[in-house]
Amino acid sequence: MKLMDAAELVKQPPDVTENPYRKSGKEASTGKQIPAPEEESACQFFFDLNEKQGRKRSSTGRDSKSSPHPKQTRKPPQPPGPCWFCLASPEVEKHLVVNIGTHCYLALAKGGLSDDHVLILPIGHYQSVVELSAEVVEEVEKYKVTLRRFFKSRGKRCVLFERNYKSHHLQLQVIPVPLSSCTTDDIKDAFITQAEQQQIELLEIPEHSDIKQIAQPGAAYFYVELDTGEKLFHRIKKNFPLQFGREVLASEAILNIPDRSDWRQCQVSKEEEEMLARRFRKDFEPFDFTLDD
């Protein structure tokens, strides 16, 4: 399983029976199937998978009777091996964590583009936004809204991007850009221009669209979300530059710090990281929605 692609892990075997959640107990035991459109059945499969991965479950108990794999319902998704971003993992650099919610947490980016470059990460092991359960998505959106308010109060707008390619745990990058540096249109144009130069097809998608409607679990992609809610999306088919998002934001057109496009060139000592984390926690506290829960 450790070596398998995520898409293979969630794919139904060729000899799979009809979704057991669509049958009554009697019909399940006799093998009788309830006719349903093929497309609806596939969607229901992914919905149930995500629901089982969430933290809150119904107490009806029907999963234990109907599902051939009841173990999947017992705990949140777990990493196939060591993970640097699962909060319970010993590999996590916990001194970088600046806020913890119910399903997600915030951490300073290691080697960030700026001192307040943060990541939104799920506490459980999810590879991408597409695979998140509904309750995790809800908290991700709360963090987005809160961070936009926080950075706006400091004279900045934030840009978010995700690269679901050669990564094992969702990292939603949140990079603040001073309002005085450029406009949102400048940021959008910079992404489109640099994408064209590298033969990357970056498509604009509707403002309120859901990435889950565009990409299937396991599919490789890159997307950027602007402070206006506009999104640019690229479906990765072959190779993709790992630092593309950082390169665009570090370029002269945006932050004008091209020497910081590679995070490995931006690392600082653990003591300095701890100091930056303490400062962010203090500054963010008035906006911290987790204190209201």
Side-chain angles (χ1 to χ4, degrees):
M1 289 180 65
K2 184 177 180 180
L3 300 176
M4 291 177 67
D5 186 78
E8 292 297 319
L9 291 172
V10 300
K11 188 171 69 177
Q12 298 185 74
D15 58 345
V16 72
T17 61
E18 177 61 18
N19 188 342
Y21 297 113
R22 304 181 64 85
K23 305 177 184 180
S24 67
K26 182 178 180 181
E27 289 166 331
S29 62
T30 60
K32 183 178 178 181
Q33 298 182 359
I34 299 175
E38 183 178 340
E39 182 177 346
E40 182 183 345
S41 174
C43 292
Q44 184 67 23
F45 169 76
F46 284 110
F47 174 81
D48 282 343
L49 177 65
N50 284 336
E51 187 177 63
K52 284 187 286 185
Q53 289 178 329
R55 289 183 157 213
K56 298 177 182 178
R57 290 290 292 142
S58 168
S59 58
T60 59
R62 60 177 182 171
D63 288 342
S64 60
K65 296 179 181 179
S66 305
S67 173
H69 306 290
K71 288 184 179 179
Q72 296 181 14
T73 67
R74 294 181 181 176
K75 57 184 178 180
Q78 301 296 308
C83 180
W84 289 96
F85 301 104
C86 285
L87 192 56
S89 171
E91 285 79 19
V92 171
E93 297 194 55
K94 291 184 170 59
H95 67 282
L96 294 171
V97 176
V98 292
N99 190 263
I100 302 176
T102 305
H103 307 288
C104 306
Y105 70 98
L106 287 183
L108 285 184
K110 195 170 186 67
L113 274 169
S114 60
D115 291 346
D116 45 6
H117 174 176
V118 295
L119 309 176
I120 303 174
L121 304 122
I123 291 173
H125 190 75
Y126 294 90
Q127 181 172 332
S128 69
V129 164
V130 174
E131 298 178 9
L132 296 180
S133 62
E135 56 196 359
V136 182
V137 169
E138 183 180 355
E139 192 163 88
V140 167
E141 292 302 319
K142 287 179 75 173
Y143 269 120
K144 285 183 185 180
V145 171
T146 304
L147 286 168
R148 286 191 180 110
R149 286 177 47 237
F150 169 66
F151 285 124
K152 185 177 180 180
S153 74
R154 306 176 76 80
K156 301 176 182 181
R157 59 169 54 88
C158 61
V159 180
L160 300 90
F161 70 82
E162 177 198 1
R163 186 198 77 233
N164 183 32
Y165 174 70
K166 294 191 175 181
S167 61
H168 302 289
H169 190 113
L170 166 62
Q171 303 162 54
L172 192 56
Q173 309 272 344
V174 185
I175 298 92
V177 178
L179 295 173
S180 57
S181 296
C182 57
T183 66
T184 301
D185 284 340
D186 291 333
I187 298 172
K188 181 178 177 181
D189 291 342
F191 270 99
I192 293 173
T193 299
Q194 293 202 37
E196 289 175 349
Q197 292 173 354
Q198 299 187 49
Q199 286 79 52
I200 295 172
E201 187 181 21
L202 203 55
L203 303 174
E204 187 169 355
I205 59 177
E207 182 177 332
H208 299 292
S209 61
D210 189 340
I211 296 296
K212 291 186 177 186
Q213 298 171 328
I214 302 170
Q216 290 292 324
Y221 64 84
F222 171 89
Y223 95 95
V224 57
E225 184 173 339
L226 307 175
D227 60 316
T228 56
E230 296 173 271
K231 299 185 185 75
L232 302 172
F233 177 87
H234 171 65
R235 192 185 307 278
I236 300 173
K237 298 176 182 177
K238 258 191 171 181
N239 297 322
F240 185 79
L242 298 182
Q243 305 295 337
F244 177 71
R246 284 184 66 116
E247 288 172 356
V248 175
L249 292 169
S251 67
E252 294 181 7
I254 311 300
L255 291 171
N256 194 23
I257 45 173
D259 57 322
R260 296 185 68 84
S261 60
D262 189 334
W263 72 272
R264 289 166 294 191
Q265 306 300 320
C266 306
Q267 296 185 72
V268 296
S269 66
K270 183 177 179 180
E271 291 73 21
E272 188 170 347
E273 289 176 337
E274 290 173 337
M275 181 271 292
L276 293 173
R278 284 195 299 269
R279 188 169 71 189
F280 189 95
R281 290 187 201 106
K282 181 180 177 182
D283 293 341
F284 186 70
E285 188 173 357
F287 298 83
D288 186 0
F289 65 84
T290 66
L291 299 177
D292 302 328
D293 295 342

